[in-house]
Amino acid sequence: MKPVNVGIVGLGTVGSGTFNVLTRNAEDITRRAGREIQVTHVGARRDNPAADTSAIKVSRDVADVIADADVDVVVELIGGTTLAKELVLGAIANGKHVVTANKALIAVHGDEIFTAAQKKGVNVAFEAAVAGGIPIIKAIREGLSANRIEWVAGIINGTGNFILTEMKDKGRDFNDVLAEAQALGYAEADPTFDVEGIDAAHKLTILASIAFGIPLQFDKAYTEGISKVTPEDVRYAEELGYRIKHLGITRQTDAGVELRVHPTLVHESRLIANVNGVMNAVMAMSDAVGPTLYYGPGAGAEPTASSVVADIVDVARALTTDPDNRVPHLAFCADQLSDTPILPIDQIETAYYLRLTAKDTPGVMAKIATILSESEINIESLLQKEAEVDDGEVPIIMITRQVKEYQMNAALKKLESQDDVVGTVTRIRLEQLDG
Ligand code: HSE
């Protein structure tokens, strides 16, 4: 059978990793795909010493790859949403299958891209877009297709998890760890995407669509980063038996779909609380199988290439099947997507960690408890610490039971207006993740 010709656009960290894995494991990959897969054309503005492309055609104008009649599959690894979108739509228009690791592109323009691909009868595969080397798209889209999925929660940004872990375990400086993540090729071109949760929100948007059969709605995701997590919150959380993780959470409720990324307290006994460094983990709660957990490296050259190459193998296999009978891009058939609304953040329900500074006066605790109880907020545990400096102020740390976010917002407003409460109240959401 004729080999499948692959054109790689972008020869950065993931591009060079993909080239190297395809070359190194060519024999096994051929045995799996049923036909040879060969890279015949690379589009890159400059060479990358990490990949020896001397034996194949290299174009400085990346559009040449899309126009190359011999290329069957275009692998888009340049990132961003402008040129990448143009190239992907161009490749589809030219009847080529597309594999991409570009989460921003899929989260923001995926619906348009999939519609174009459907019309042309070509595949757009994006396993590497979510959680790097973990085959999570395949697991949810195919492995869990018997189930009603209730929620999906995960650590889906390797850079952010790497930063939180290094800060907690080694007391390292935020910017120093971020610079290392950049040097290792984990971070986005704009690292605020990592630390402010935008990258995780792109990935969560994709997970929500394949879990619940809804269109991609990145603009409705709630996003809160890790830059405001303080070492004292990390310490207090630990004293209460929790770890602070930057989670993406999407949950199907009767009212709509929760879609949120924020720092979250997770009990230390949960496996996901012990996922450290650049590792990612995604947990799915489904009605038939119950909880399942997927763990692996969330970023890096070859882990991400592992997912890219798996998609290329899938495309090679699909080349001989009827386009209408392939696995749908977003798990559910394109005409079967539901219009379940995405909930605004004040409608979500969760437990909370609260930290406030109160004046050390008699009755202050009762006042705080009254405000919370009037707002129907139950306190699960409470820690009153001794003042670190003798300034008449004490830190109070609480963990609450589940409550709607708007009720918590109202209670926090009342608390912050009290003369006995100093400054603002720190609030971090807390998830039991026990179904
Ligand atoms: N910047 C991303 C991360 C790369 O750190 O997870 C993988 O998507």
Side-chain angles (χ1 to χ4, degrees), residues 77-100:
L77 299 171
I78 57 166
T81 51
T82 313
L83 178 60
K85 181 183 174 196
E86 213 177 281
L87 293 172
V88 164
L89 289 175
I92 292 169
N94 290 348
K96 298 183 192 310
H97 302 273
V98 174
V99 171
T100 178

Side-chain angles (χ1 to χ4, degrees), residues 186 225 229 388-389:
Y186 300 158
V229 175
E388 284 180 11
V389 282

